[in-house]
Amino acid sequence: MTNKPFWKKKELSQFSTVEWESICTHCGQCCLIKLQDENSEDVFYTDIICRYHDCKTHLCKEYQNRSRLVPACLKLTPENLGKIRWIPDLCAYNILYKTGDLPSWHPLISGQPLPNKYKISSHVISELDVPEEELENHIIEEDSND
Ligand code: SF4
């Protein structure tokens, strides 16, 4: 009899819906608006966050409808995990995919809420408050998954 947690016992494709959803820490990193250079295809993170992100609860206000409301909001699946260039380094799905385990700070391991340092900064701005022509002024980081 093994006491291994489900994420170490099963393939990602074998996770139940509840197990899959429990991997998300609601860090909000994937909800930051990203810009892509048309020529190089490099992806740049900004400090602007999706209009549907609730910065108090760190949850999406339209989680069930997100794909319809924001077609660019990609739903992570076991199949597409390794193919998404812009997935944040600290995304728990990304870490699990790459290492086969979750980090010590993940709530499923620590039993504690996600530490603030792994959540998006409280200084992010809603996309509702930023005119499109100013988006480039909010670039904070180029993706590092190349
Ligand atoms: S970056 Fe990953 S862990 Fe963080 S909210 Fe997005 S899907 Fe969840």
Side-chain angles (χ1 to χ4, degrees):
M1 184 80 157
T2 172
N3 287 324
K4 280 185 183 175
F6 72 86
W7 62 88
K8 292 180 84 170
K9 274 195 294 201
K10 298 181 178 180
E11 298 291 329
L12 295 177
S13 59
Q14 297 173 323
F15 286 14
S16 70
T17 304
V18 171
E19 288 169 343
W20 180 259
E21 294 291 328
S22 72
I23 301 300
C24 179
T25 61
H26 304 288
C27 67
Q29 298 285 346
C30 62
C31 305
L32 292 173
I33 302 296
K34 294 160 278 294
L35 302 177
Q36 185 166 34
D37 184 299
E38 286 177 4
N39 298 318
S40 68
E41 298 193 346
D42 288 341
V43 176
F44 299 86
Y45 274 81
T46 68
D47 62 358
I48 305 166
I49 194 133
C50 174
R51 68 189 64 200
Y52 298 113
H53 184 83
D54 185 327
C55 288
K56 288 200 181 111
T57 63
H58 288 279
L59 297 175
C60 177
K61 294 180 204 165
E62 292 286 353
Y63 191 70
Q64 298 304 330
N65 302 317
R66 67 194 193 285
S67 301
R68 179 173 57 79
L69 293 168
V70 185
C73 179
L74 194 60
K75 196 172 176 182
L76 291 178
T77 66
E79 292 73 36
N80 68 17
L81 251 187
K83 301 174 186 156
I84 303 170
R85 276 191 58 187
W86 52 260
I87 192 165
D89 289 342
L90 290 175
C91 171
Y93 291 101
N94 191 27
I95 294 173
L96 180 58
Y97 176 78
K98 287 181 172 167
T99 69
D101 202 356
L102 293 173
S104 58
W105 43 262
H106 193 287
L108 285 178
I109 292 185
S110 69
Q112 301 294 318
L114 183 69
N116 282 339
K117 66 178 177 179
Y118 296 113
K119 296 177 186 169
I120 51 159
S121 154
S122 56
H123 300 300
V124 293
I125 308 161
S126 169
E127 65 176 326
L128 294 172
D129 298 326
V130 183
E132 194 168 343
E133 61 273 19
E134 287 182 21
L135 291 178
E136 283 187 16
N137 298 334
H138 288 267
I139 288 173
I140 50 173
E141 182 189 337
E142 183 179 352
D143 81 287
S144 56
N145 289 304
D146 292 333

